[in-house]
Amino acid sequence: MVTVLDQLVKLLAKLPGVGPKSASRMAFHLIKTDKEYTARLATAISEIQDKIFPCSICGSFTEEDPCPICSDPNRNRTLLCVVEQPQDVLTIIASGSYDGLFHVLGGALSPLEGIGPADLNFSGMMKRLAEGVFEEVVIATNPTEEGDTTAMYIKHLLKDKNIIVTRLASGLPIGGDLEYADRLTLARSMRGRIRYQD
Amino acid sequence: MVTVLDQLVKLLAKLPGVGPKSASRMAFHLIKTDKEYTARLATAISEIQDKIFPCSICGSFTEEDPCPICSDPNRNRTLLCVVEQPQDVLTIIASGSYDGLFHVLGGALSPLEGIGPADLNFSGMMKRLAEGVFEEVVIATNPTEEGDTTAMYIKHLLKDKNIIVTRLASGLPIGGDLEYADRLTLARSMRGRIRYQD
């Protein structure tokens, strides 16, 4: 009926996690809201791909090359955290629990989806490790089948490299309820149980 | 850290139903997706407020005045459905259960939020009804306290007008489970129970 509105709803519905109903709620909001805001949002969307690109060292998204993390002299340059996606870097930074460097693989190994070692940035990782500065690789791929496969592959690649290889702990989410934990998470959390130190 | 990205995330997070996490998922999607799509989305957002405005007759959003519904000769011009918001018009049209005309009030009466009769378009509604063509007013305000109050107010306005006044039925949602129905919905659905016709 209203074609401009329909178009906007269809475009919004292509965003991840947005269905037709929420797209239409957003569109109606955009019609009624402060016009300066819609202008700023439109500009931010149209410019994002020109301003953000992958860091040539770690592969995470940045506005300058190398990225602020890679060029930060205050970070621990003996620690390398390997993640699947650029957004994982921000998530880990936001947790405030890590002060080392990062390496973005660009995905996880998935035979089913035809993603093999050549499709991910393992060669860049090996090149960085070959420089001999890193002492520990923290594997922070997702706790999924693909992420686990990728972690095993990295462990295999680094077998004789005299580098400590660790993996993020899996277990019950903080604030979660035992009753609602799935079987696999519970099993992992049981296997990985921590002994209290006296 | 990445300021352009932060800005986009903050702007996206202002959309209804979008929190910081989904805003950041959207932003990362926008970085990586087809560039023609981001350009079209940006244009659609920046133009929407110039192209869409309220219909001078019914108040629903339109690109032309009067709106395609008000000017459609095939719709039943004796039926007037009164709704709170422009988006309610689309929802009812999409249900395929109504072929009459609409009137958008622009909200619901809410003493708590200071919204009184003068803030809603009751005068426009009365003017349209005074033309003597409408035979039935279908009140389709939300089944909330504010929507019910507004419905009662309309019923009161039309008391001596020789117009049939109806209200959308409330009850259990189709496909819903009795166990999960809230008390009020269940009570309404009990009060409004339908007798099987032989």
Side-chain angles (χ1 to χ4, degrees), chain B residues 123-172:
Chain B
S123 62
M125 180 187 79
M126 295 309 281
K127 220 175 279 174
R128 293 177 73 188
L129 293 173
E131 288 164 12
V133 182
F134 291 110
E135 295 168 6
E136 178 180 344
V137 166
V138 182
I139 305 176
T141 53
N142 289 326
T144 57
E145 210 177 306
E146 289 81 7
D148 286 346
T149 307
T150 312
M152 290 304 292
Y153 183 76
I154 296 171
K155 208 180 132 198
H156 172 80
L157 282 177
L158 304 180
K159 209 172 41 185
D160 307 315
K161 298 284 183 202
N162 197 28
I163 283 175
I164 301 166
V165 181
T166 57
R167 173 110 169 86
L168 288 195
S170 279
L172 298 172

mmCIF file of all heavy atoms in Angstrom, chain B residues 123-172:
data_model
loop_
_atom_site.group_PDB
_atom_site.id
_atom_site.type_symbol
_atom_site.label_atom_id
_atom_site.label_comp_id
_atom_site.label_asym_id
_atom_site.label_seq_id
_atom_site.Cartn_x
_atom_site.Cartn_y
_atom_site.Cartn_z
ATOM 1 N N SER B 123 -12.495 14.984 17.368
ATOM 2 C CA SER B 123 -13.307 15.955 16.623
ATOM 3 C C SER B 123 -13.373 15.554 15.148
ATOM 4 O O SER B 123 -14.431 15.629 14.518
ATOM 5 C CB SER B 123 -12.735 17.357 16.791
ATOM 6 O OG SER B 123 -11.418 17.400 16.265
ATOM 7 N N GLY B 124 -12.220 15.107 14.593
ATOM 8 C CA GLY B 124 -12.210 14.642 13.214
ATOM 9 C C GLY B 124 -13.136 13.452 13.022
ATOM 10 O O GLY B 124 -13.855 13.351 12.019
ATOM 11 N N MET B 125 -13.131 12.556 14.002
ATOM 12 C CA MET B 125 -13.999 11.381 13.936
ATOM 13 C C MET B 125 -15.470 11.806 13.932
ATOM 14 O O MET B 125 -16.266 11.346 13.102
ATOM 15 C CB MET B 125 -13.719 10.477 15.149
ATOM 16 C CG MET B 125 -14.562 9.212 15.203
ATOM 17 S SD MET B 125 -14.320 8.301 16.768
ATOM 18 C CE MET B 125 -15.366 9.253 17.887
ATOM 19 N N MET B 126 -15.840 12.720 14.838
ATOM 20 C CA MET B 126 -17.233 13.158 14.930
ATOM 21 C C MET B 126 -17.673 13.861 13.643
ATOM 22 O O MET B 126 -18.804 13.698 13.195
ATOM 23 C CB MET B 126 -17.420 14.096 16.141
ATOM 24 C CG MET B 126 -17.192 13.414 17.484
ATOM 25 S SD MET B 126 -18.111 11.864 17.693
ATOM 26 C CE MET B 126 -19.752 12.484 18.088
ATOM 27 N N LYS B 127 -16.766 14.654 13.058
ATOM 28 C CA LYS B 127 -17.072 15.356 11.817
ATOM 29 C C LYS B 127 -17.371 14.351 10.709
ATOM 30 O O LYS B 127 -18.325 14.508 9.939
ATOM 31 C CB LYS B 127 -15.879 16.244 11.428
ATOM 32 C CG LYS B 127 -16.293 17.603 10.878
ATOM 33 C CD LYS B 127 -15.071 18.485 10.614
ATOM 34 C CE LYS B 127 -14.569 19.154 11.902
ATOM 35 N NZ LYS B 127 -13.307 19.892 11.706
ATOM 36 N N ARG B 128 -16.535 13.275 10.633
ATOM 37 C CA ARG B 128 -16.740 12.266 9.590
ATOM 38 C C ARG B 128 -18.075 11.537 9.806
ATOM 39 O O ARG B 128 -18.798 11.249 8.848
ATOM 40 C CB ARG B 128 -15.583 11.254 9.579
ATOM 41 C CG ARG B 128 -14.266 11.860 9.153
ATOM 42 C CD ARG B 128 -13.138 10.855 9.211
ATOM 43 N NE ARG B 128 -13.188 9.869 8.149
ATOM 44 C CZ ARG B 128 -12.409 8.799 8.073
ATOM 45 N NH1 ARG B 128 -11.516 8.559 9.040
ATOM 46 N NH2 ARG B 128 -12.509 7.944 7.078
ATOM 47 N N LEU B 129 -18.377 11.239 11.073
ATOM 48 C CA LEU B 129 -19.616 10.516 11.363
ATOM 49 C C LEU B 129 -20.836 11.394 11.086
ATOM 50 O O LEU B 129 -21.896 10.896 10.682
ATOM 51 C CB LEU B 129 -19.623 10.044 12.823
ATOM 52 C CG LEU B 129 -18.579 8.970 13.170
ATOM 53 C CD1 LEU B 129 -18.558 8.690 14.662
ATOM 54 C CD2 LEU B 129 -18.841 7.688 12.383
ATOM 55 N N ALA B 130 -20.668 12.732 11.264
ATOM 56 C CA ALA B 130 -21.785 13.655 11.068
ATOM 57 C C ALA B 130 -22.245 13.697 9.608
ATOM 58 O O ALA B 130 -23.354 14.119 9.303
ATOM 59 C CB ALA B 130 -21.392 15.061 11.533
ATOM 60 N N GLU B 131 -21.382 13.236 8.694
ATOM 61 C CA GLU B 131 -21.768 13.221 7.277
ATOM 62 C C GLU B 131 -22.876 12.219 6.999
ATOM 63 O O GLU B 131 -23.487 12.236 5.930
ATOM 64 C CB GLU B 131 -20.541 12.902 6.405
ATOM 65 C CG GLU B 131 -19.549 14.071 6.341
ATOM 66 C CD GLU B 131 -18.181 13.644 5.812
ATOM 67 O OE1 GLU B 131 -18.064 12.519 5.278
ATOM 68 O OE2 GLU B 131 -17.233 14.442 5.962
ATOM 69 N N GLY B 132 -23.113 11.305 7.977
ATOM 70 C CA GLY B 132 -24.284 10.427 7.891
ATOM 71 C C GLY B 132 -24.120 9.195 7.031
ATOM 72 O O GLY B 132 -25.091 8.497 6.747
ATOM 73 N N VAL B 133 -22.906 8.896 6.550
ATOM 74 C CA VAL B 133 -22.712 7.726 5.694
ATOM 75 C C VAL B 133 -22.383 6.469 6.517
ATOM 76 O O VAL B 133 -22.818 5.370 6.210
ATOM 77 C CB VAL B 133 -21.598 7.977 4.647
ATOM 78 C CG1 VAL B 133 -21.432 6.782 3.725
ATOM 79 C CG2 VAL B 133 -21.922 9.232 3.834
ATOM 80 N N PHE B 134 -21.630 6.646 7.578
ATOM 81 C CA PHE B 134 -21.216 5.496 8.398
ATOM 82 C C PHE B 134 -22.389 4.922 9.187
ATOM 83 O O PHE B 134 -23.190 5.663 9.762
ATOM 84 C CB PHE B 134 -20.093 5.901 9.358
ATOM 85 C CG PHE B 134 -18.794 6.209 8.655
ATOM 86 C CD1 PHE B 134 -18.319 7.513 8.580
ATOM 87 C CD2 PHE B 134 -18.059 5.188 8.062
ATOM 88 C CE1 PHE B 134 -17.129 7.794 7.923
ATOM 89 C CE2 PHE B 134 -16.864 5.463 7.403
ATOM 90 C CZ PHE B 134 -16.405 6.774 7.334
ATOM 91 N N GLU B 135 -22.461 3.584 9.187
ATOM 92 C CA GLU B 135 -23.524 2.911 9.939
ATOM 93 C C GLU B 135 -22.991 2.211 11.179
ATOM 94 O O GLU B 135 -23.728 1.920 12.106
ATOM 95 C CB GLU B 135 -24.220 1.885 9.037
ATOM 96 C CG GLU B 135 -24.961 2.550 7.872
ATOM 97 C CD GLU B 135 -25.414 1.554 6.817
ATOM 98 O OE1 GLU B 135 -25.252 0.329 7.042
ATOM 99 O OE2 GLU B 135 -25.908 2.009 5.768
ATOM 100 N N GLU B 136 -21.675 1.869 11.131
ATOM 101 C CA GLU B 136 -21.110 1.157 12.282
ATOM 102 C C GLU B 136 -19.706 1.680 12.579
ATOM 103 O O GLU B 136 -18.902 1.882 11.665
ATOM 104 C CB GLU B 136 -21.044 -0.353 11.988
ATOM 105 C CG GLU B 136 -20.413 -1.149 13.119
ATOM 106 C CD GLU B 136 -20.341 -2.662 12.841
ATOM 107 O OE1 GLU B 136 -21.040 -3.138 11.918
ATOM 108 O OE2 GLU B 136 -19.573 -3.334 13.551
ATOM 109 N N VAL B 137 -19.423 1.860 13.863
ATOM 110 C CA VAL B 137 -18.071 2.206 14.305
ATOM 111 C C VAL B 137 -17.491 0.986 15.020
ATOM 112 O O VAL B 137 -18.059 0.503 15.998
ATOM 113 C CB VAL B 137 -18.085 3.434 15.238
ATOM 114 C CG1 VAL B 137 -16.747 3.584 15.956
ATOM 115 C CG2 VAL B 137 -18.407 4.697 14.451
ATOM 116 N N VAL B 138 -16.376 0.460 14.491
ATOM 117 C CA VAL B 138 -15.709 -0.679 15.111
ATOM 118 C C VAL B 138 -14.545 -0.137 15.939
ATOM 119 O O VAL B 138 -13.566 0.365 15.385
ATOM 120 C CB VAL B 138 -15.148 -1.640 14.041
ATOM 121 C CG1 VAL B 138 -14.501 -2.859 14.693
ATOM 122 C CG2 VAL B 138 -16.228 -2.053 13.054
ATOM 123 N N ILE B 139 -14.650 -0.217 17.248
ATOM 124 C CA ILE B 139 -13.579 0.312 18.093
ATOM 125 C C ILE B 139 -12.479 -0.737 18.197
ATOM 126 O O ILE B 139 -12.700 -1.849 18.683
ATOM 127 C CB ILE B 139 -14.100 0.689 19.487
ATOM 128 C CG1 ILE B 139 -15.281 1.666 19.357
ATOM 129 C CG2 ILE B 139 -12.980 1.313 20.324
ATOM 130 C CD1 ILE B 139 -15.916 2.029 20.677
ATOM 131 N N ALA B 140 -11.289 -0.386 17.707
ATOM 132 C CA ALA B 140 -10.167 -1.322 17.706
ATOM 133 C C ALA B 140 -8.990 -0.749 18.487
ATOM 134 O O ALA B 140 -7.841 -0.939 18.127
ATOM 135 C CB ALA B 140 -9.762 -1.667 16.278
ATOM 136 N N THR B 141 -9.306 -0.052 19.584
ATOM 137 C CA THR B 141 -8.223 0.395 20.470
ATOM 138 C C THR B 141 -7.645 -0.847 21.154
ATOM 139 O O THR B 141 -8.268 -1.904 21.164
ATOM 140 C CB THR B 141 -8.762 1.388 21.520
ATOM 141 O OG1 THR B 141 -9.873 0.791 22.174
ATOM 142 C CG2 THR B 141 -9.212 2.673 20.851
ATOM 143 N N ASN B 142 -6.438 -0.708 21.713
ATOM 144 C CA ASN B 142 -5.787 -1.863 22.331
ATOM 145 C C ASN B 142 -6.575 -2.398 23.536
ATOM 146 O O ASN B 142 -7.227 -1.618 24.226
ATOM 147 C CB ASN B 142 -4.380 -1.490 22.801
ATOM 148 C CG ASN B 142 -3.435 -1.279 21.641
ATOM 149 O OD1 ASN B 142 -3.560 -1.956 20.618
ATOM 150 N ND2 ASN B 142 -2.512 -0.344 21.778
ATOM 151 N N PRO B 143 -6.504 -3.697 23.800
ATOM 152 C CA PRO B 143 -7.153 -4.260 24.986
ATOM 153 C C PRO B 143 -6.331 -3.988 26.243
ATOM 154 O O PRO B 143 -5.929 -4.905 26.947
ATOM 155 C CB PRO B 143 -7.235 -5.758 24.670
ATOM 156 C CG PRO B 143 -6.139 -6.014 23.707
ATOM 157 C CD PRO B 143 -5.885 -4.737 22.971
ATOM 158 N N THR B 144 -6.066 -2.689 26.486
ATOM 159 C CA THR B 144 -5.326 -2.260 27.684
ATOM 160 C C THR B 144 -6.237 -1.325 28.459
ATOM 161 O O THR B 144 -7.319 -0.966 27.982
ATOM 162 C CB THR B 144 -4.079 -1.461 27.284
ATOM 163 O OG1 THR B 144 -4.501 -0.340 26.486
ATOM 164 C CG2 THR B 144 -3.127 -2.319 26.464
ATOM 165 N N GLU B 145 -5.786 -0.886 29.634
ATOM 166 C CA GLU B 145 -6.612 0.015 30.425
ATOM 167 C C GLU B 145 -6.895 1.294 29.640
ATOM 168 O O GLU B 145 -8.032 1.759 29.569
ATOM 169 C CB GLU B 145 -5.887 0.346 31.736
ATOM 170 C CG GLU B 145 -6.854 0.633 32.865
ATOM 171 C CD GLU B 145 -6.131 0.883 34.170
ATOM 172 O OE1 GLU B 145 -5.319 0.017 34.558
ATOM 173 O OE2 GLU B 145 -6.363 1.943 34.769
ATOM 174 N N GLU B 146 -5.835 1.843 29.000
ATOM 175 C CA GLU B 146 -5.991 3.080 28.228
ATOM 176 C C GLU B 146 -6.919 2.859 27.024
ATOM 177 O O GLU B 146 -7.781 3.687 26.734
ATOM 178 C CB GLU B 146 -4.631 3.582 27.717
ATOM 179 C CG GLU B 146 -3.716 4.136 28.787
ATOM 180 C CD GLU B 146 -2.976 3.041 29.549
ATOM 181 O OE1 GLU B 146 -3.093 1.851 29.146
ATOM 182 O OE2 GLU B 146 -2.314 3.349 30.548
ATOM 183 N N GLY B 147 -6.717 1.722 26.341
ATOM 184 C CA GLY B 147 -7.538 1.418 25.175
ATOM 185 C C GLY B 147 -8.999 1.217 25.559
ATOM 186 O O GLY B 147 -9.914 1.659 24.851
ATOM 187 N N ASP B 148 -9.216 0.558 26.704
ATOM 188 C CA ASP B 148 -10.583 0.330 27.176
ATOM 189 C C ASP B 148 -11.252 1.640 27.564
ATOM 190 O O ASP B 148 -12.429 1.876 27.252
ATOM 191 C CB ASP B 148 -10.566 -0.619 28.384
ATOM 192 C CG ASP B 148 -10.270 -2.059 27.981
ATOM 193 O OD1 ASP B 148 -10.339 -2.356 26.769
ATOM 194 O OD2 ASP B 148 -9.973 -2.876 28.868
ATOM 195 N N THR B 149 -10.477 2.516 28.236
ATOM 196 C CA THR B 149 -11.009 3.824 28.624
ATOM 197 C C THR B 149 -11.420 4.601 27.373
ATOM 198 O O THR B 149 -12.495 5.197 27.316
ATOM 199 C CB THR B 149 -9.939 4.637 29.387
ATOM 200 O OG1 THR B 149 -9.462 3.835 30.461
ATOM 201 C CG2 THR B 149 -10.487 5.941 29.909
ATOM 202 N N THR B 150 -10.553 4.569 26.367
ATOM 203 C CA THR B 150 -10.828 5.274 25.119
ATOM 204 C C THR B 150 -12.075 4.704 24.445
ATOM 205 O O THR B 150 -12.918 5.461 23.935
ATOM 206 C CB THR B 150 -9.615 5.153 24.175
ATOM 207 O OG1 THR B 150 -8.436 5.478 24.905
ATOM 208 C CG2 THR B 150 -9.751 6.060 22.970
ATOM 209 N N ALA B 151 -12.211 3.383 24.482
ATOM 210 C CA ALA B 151 -13.384 2.737 23.885
ATOM 211 C C ALA B 151 -14.666 3.182 24.587
ATOM 212 O O ALA B 151 -15.674 3.508 23.940
ATOM 213 C CB ALA B 151 -13.234 1.212 23.964
ATOM 214 N N MET B 152 -14.599 3.228 25.930
ATOM 215 C CA MET B 152 -15.771 3.671 26.702
ATOM 216 C C MET B 152 -16.125 5.110 26.342
ATOM 217 O O MET B 152 -17.299 5.469 26.226
ATOM 218 C CB MET B 152 -15.470 3.603 28.217
ATOM 219 C CG MET B 152 -15.355 2.210 28.783
ATOM 220 S SD MET B 152 -16.829 1.210 28.480
ATOM 221 C CE MET B 152 -18.028 2.067 29.523
ATOM 222 N N TYR B 153 -15.101 5.936 26.179
ATOM 223 C CA TYR B 153 -15.309 7.345 25.849
ATOM 224 C C TYR B 153 -15.989 7.475 24.482
ATOM 225 O O TYR B 153 -16.926 8.262 24.315
ATOM 226 C CB TYR B 153 -13.970 8.087 25.875
ATOM 227 C CG TYR B 153 -14.091 9.562 25.616
ATOM 228 C CD1 TYR B 153 -14.564 10.416 26.603
ATOM 229 C CD2 TYR B 153 -13.749 10.109 24.382
ATOM 230 C CE1 TYR B 153 -14.685 11.776 26.371
ATOM 231 C CE2 TYR B 153 -13.875 11.467 24.143
ATOM 232 C CZ TYR B 153 -14.350 12.297 25.144
ATOM 233 O OH TYR B 153 -14.481 13.651 24.903
ATOM 234 N N ILE B 154 -15.553 6.692 23.498
ATOM 235 C CA ILE B 154 -16.156 6.736 22.156
ATOM 236 C C ILE B 154 -17.617 6.279 22.230
ATOM 237 O O ILE B 154 -18.511 6.893 21.642
ATOM 238 C CB ILE B 154 -15.368 5.845 21.174
ATOM 239 C CG1 ILE B 154 -13.944 6.391 20.983
ATOM 240 C CG2 ILE B 154 -16.086 5.749 19.821
ATOM 241 C CD1 ILE B 154 -13.025 5.464 20.211
ATOM 242 N N LYS B 155 -17.825 5.197 22.990
ATOM 243 C CA LYS B 155 -19.183 4.677 23.145
ATOM 244 C C LYS B 155 -20.087 5.780 23.706
ATOM 245 O O LYS B 155 -21.221 5.984 23.252
ATOM 246 C CB LYS B 155 -19.138 3.492 24.127
ATOM 247 C CG LYS B 155 -20.232 2.456 23.919
ATOM 248 C CD LYS B 155 -20.088 1.334 24.934
ATOM 249 C CE LYS B 155 -21.428 1.033 25.572
ATOM 250 N NZ LYS B 155 -21.279 0.283 26.838
ATOM 251 N N HIS B 156 -19.558 6.517 24.697
ATOM 252 C CA HIS B 156 -20.288 7.611 25.316
ATOM 253 C C HIS B 156 -20.564 8.728 24.297
ATOM 254 O O HIS B 156 -21.697 9.235 24.204
ATOM 255 C CB HIS B 156 -19.464 8.137 26.498
ATOM 256 C CG HIS B 156 -19.997 9.392 27.110
ATOM 257 N ND1 HIS B 156 -21.050 9.391 28.008
ATOM 258 C CD2 HIS B 156 -19.629 10.687 26.947
ATOM 259 C CE1 HIS B 156 -21.311 10.636 28.357
ATOM 260 N NE2 HIS B 156 -20.466 11.444 27.733
ATOM 261 N N LEU B 157 -19.552 9.088 23.489
ATOM 262 C CA LEU B 157 -19.711 10.148 22.476
ATOM 263 C C LEU B 157 -20.825 9.817 21.476
ATOM 264 O O LEU B 157 -21.487 10.708 20.957
ATOM 265 C CB LEU B 157 -18.404 10.342 21.686
ATOM 266 C CG LEU B 157 -17.252 11.127 22.311
ATOM 267 C CD1 LEU B 157 -16.051 11.125 21.365
ATOM 268 C CD2 LEU B 157 -17.670 12.566 22.626
ATOM 269 N N LEU B 158 -20.990 8.495 21.187
ATOM 270 C CA LEU B 158 -21.894 8.090 20.112
ATOM 271 C C LEU B 158 -23.244 7.604 20.628
ATOM 272 O O LEU B 158 -24.033 7.044 19.860
ATOM 273 C CB LEU B 158 -21.230 6.996 19.266
ATOM 274 C CG LEU B 158 -19.858 7.351 18.677
ATOM 275 C CD1 LEU B 158 -19.310 6.189 17.877
ATOM 276 C CD2 LEU B 158 -19.953 8.603 17.808
ATOM 277 N N LYS B 159 -23.489 7.856 21.941
ATOM 278 C CA LYS B 159 -24.667 7.314 22.620
ATOM 279 C C LYS B 159 -25.970 7.555 21.841
ATOM 280 O O LYS B 159 -26.737 6.632 21.603
ATOM 281 C CB LYS B 159 -24.758 7.917 24.022
ATOM 282 C CG LYS B 159 -25.433 7.032 25.038
ATOM 283 C CD LYS B 159 -25.290 7.634 26.452
ATOM 284 C CE LYS B 159 -25.475 9.150 26.437
ATOM 285 N NZ LYS B 159 -25.223 9.761 27.761
ATOM 286 N N ASP B 160 -26.202 8.783 21.452
ATOM 287 C CA ASP B 160 -27.494 9.106 20.835
ATOM 288 C C ASP B 160 -27.388 9.327 19.331
ATOM 289 O O ASP B 160 -28.175 10.066 18.735
ATOM 290 C CB ASP B 160 -28.082 10.374 21.499
ATOM 291 C CG ASP B 160 -28.145 10.237 23.005
ATOM 292 O OD1 ASP B 160 -28.591 9.164 23.476
ATOM 293 O OD2 ASP B 160 -27.734 11.179 23.700
ATOM 294 N N LYS B 161 -26.380 8.728 18.690
ATOM 295 C CA LYS B 161 -26.102 9.069 17.297
ATOM 296 C C LYS B 161 -26.704 8.084 16.291
ATOM 297 O O LYS B 161 -26.434 8.188 15.100
ATOM 298 C CB LYS B 161 -24.585 9.132 17.051
ATOM 299 C CG LYS B 161 -23.878 10.180 17.867
ATOM 300 C CD LYS B 161 -24.118 11.577 17.326
ATOM 301 C CE LYS B 161 -23.311 12.596 18.141
ATOM 302 N NZ LYS B 161 -23.831 13.939 18.063
ATOM 303 N N ASN B 162 -27.437 7.103 16.755
ATOM 304 C CA ASN B 162 -28.028 6.130 15.825
ATOM 305 C C ASN B 162 -26.978 5.444 14.957
ATOM 306 O O ASN B 162 -27.137 5.298 13.745
ATOM 307 C CB ASN B 162 -29.082 6.812 14.940
ATOM 308 C CG ASN B 162 -29.986 5.782 14.282
ATOM 309 O OD1 ASN B 162 -30.181 4.692 14.826
ATOM 310 N ND2 ASN B 162 -30.512 6.103 13.107
ATOM 311 N N ILE B 163 -25.841 5.090 15.582
ATOM 312 C CA ILE B 163 -24.760 4.380 14.899
ATOM 313 C C ILE B 163 -24.455 3.123 15.714
ATOM 314 O O ILE B 163 -24.388 3.183 16.949
ATOM 315 C CB ILE B 163 -23.495 5.277 14.807
ATOM 316 C CG1 ILE B 163 -23.678 6.315 13.692
ATOM 317 C CG2 ILE B 163 -22.235 4.445 14.561
ATOM 318 C CD1 ILE B 163 -22.567 7.309 13.575
ATOM 319 N N ILE B 164 -24.306 1.987 15.040
ATOM 320 C CA ILE B 164 -23.927 0.763 15.745
ATOM 321 C C ILE B 164 -22.483 0.908 16.213
ATOM 322 O O ILE B 164 -21.604 1.290 15.429
ATOM 323 C CB ILE B 164 -24.043 -0.463 14.813
ATOM 324 C CG1 ILE B 164 -25.487 -0.603 14.308
ATOM 325 C CG2 ILE B 164 -23.591 -1.731 15.515
ATOM 326 C CD1 ILE B 164 -25.618 -1.562 13.140
ATOM 327 N N VAL B 165 -22.231 0.631 17.495
ATOM 328 C CA VAL B 165 -20.864 0.705 18.017
ATOM 329 C C VAL B 165 -20.429 -0.683 18.457
ATOM 330 O O VAL B 165 -21.112 -1.313 19.264
ATOM 331 C CB VAL B 165 -20.770 1.690 19.200
ATOM 332 C CG1 VAL B 165 -19.327 1.769 19.707
ATOM 333 C CG2 VAL B 165 -21.261 3.071 18.787
ATOM 334 N N THR B 166 -19.332 -1.186 17.894
ATOM 335 C CA THR B 166 -18.823 -2.504 18.282
ATOM 336 C C THR B 166 -17.375 -2.381 18.738
ATOM 337 O O THR B 166 -16.730 -1.346 18.543
ATOM 338 C CB THR B 166 -18.894 -3.497 17.103
ATOM 339 O OG1 THR B 166 -18.155 -2.957 16.003
ATOM 340 C CG2 THR B 166 -20.319 -3.751 16.660
ATOM 341 N N ARG B 167 -16.891 -3.467 19.351
ATOM 342 C CA ARG B 167 -15.502 -3.464 19.860
ATOM 343 C C ARG B 167 -14.888 -4.807 19.475
ATOM 344 O O ARG B 167 -15.553 -5.847 19.563
ATOM 345 C CB ARG B 167 -15.560 -3.325 21.389
ATOM 346 C CG ARG B 167 -14.230 -3.466 22.126
ATOM 347 C CD ARG B 167 -13.815 -2.108 22.692
ATOM 348 N NE ARG B 167 -12.689 -2.191 23.632
ATOM 349 C CZ ARG B 167 -11.414 -2.184 23.251
ATOM 350 N NH1 ARG B 167 -11.123 -2.149 21.974
ATOM 351 N NH2 ARG B 167 -10.447 -2.221 24.147
ATOM 352 N N LEU B 168 -13.627 -4.816 19.054
ATOM 353 C CA LEU B 168 -12.964 -6.083 18.730
ATOM 354 C C LEU B 168 -13.061 -7.024 19.918
ATOM 355 O O LEU B 168 -12.896 -6.615 21.060
ATOM 356 C CB LEU B 168 -11.481 -5.853 18.427
ATOM 357 C CG LEU B 168 -11.111 -5.176 17.109
ATOM 358 C CD1 LEU B 168 -9.622 -5.377 16.844
ATOM 359 C CD2 LEU B 168 -11.914 -5.731 15.951
ATOM 360 N N ALA B 169 -13.312 -8.321 19.646
ATOM 361 C CA ALA B 169 -13.401 -9.313 20.716
ATOM 362 C C ALA B 169 -12.034 -9.518 21.356
ATOM 363 O O ALA B 169 -11.006 -9.506 20.691
ATOM 364 C CB ALA B 169 -13.918 -10.628 20.152
ATOM 365 N N SER B 170 -12.039 -9.695 22.676
ATOM 366 C CA SER B 170 -10.821 -10.085 23.378
ATOM 367 C C SER B 170 -10.932 -11.539 23.759
ATOM 368 O O SER B 170 -12.034 -12.062 23.942
ATOM 369 C CB SER B 170 -10.642 -9.276 24.660
ATOM 370 O OG SER B 170 -10.091 -8.040 24.369
ATOM 371 N N GLY B 171 -9.829 -12.208 23.905
ATOM 372 C CA GLY B 171 -9.871 -13.605 24.315
ATOM 373 C C GLY B 171 -8.544 -14.271 24.152
ATOM 374 O O GLY B 171 -7.516 -13.622 24.020
ATOM 375 N N LEU B 172 -8.562 -15.595 24.151
ATOM 376 C CA LEU B 172 -7.325 -16.356 24.055
ATOM 377 C C LEU B 172 -6.739 -16.194 22.660
ATOM 378 O O LEU B 172 -7.448 -16.297 21.669
ATOM 379 C CB LEU B 172 -7.607 -17.832 24.301
ATOM 380 C CG LEU B 172 -8.156 -18.148 25.687
ATOM 381 C CD1 LEU B 172 -8.581 -19.601 25.748
ATOM 382 C CD2 LEU B 172 -7.122 -17.844 26.745
#
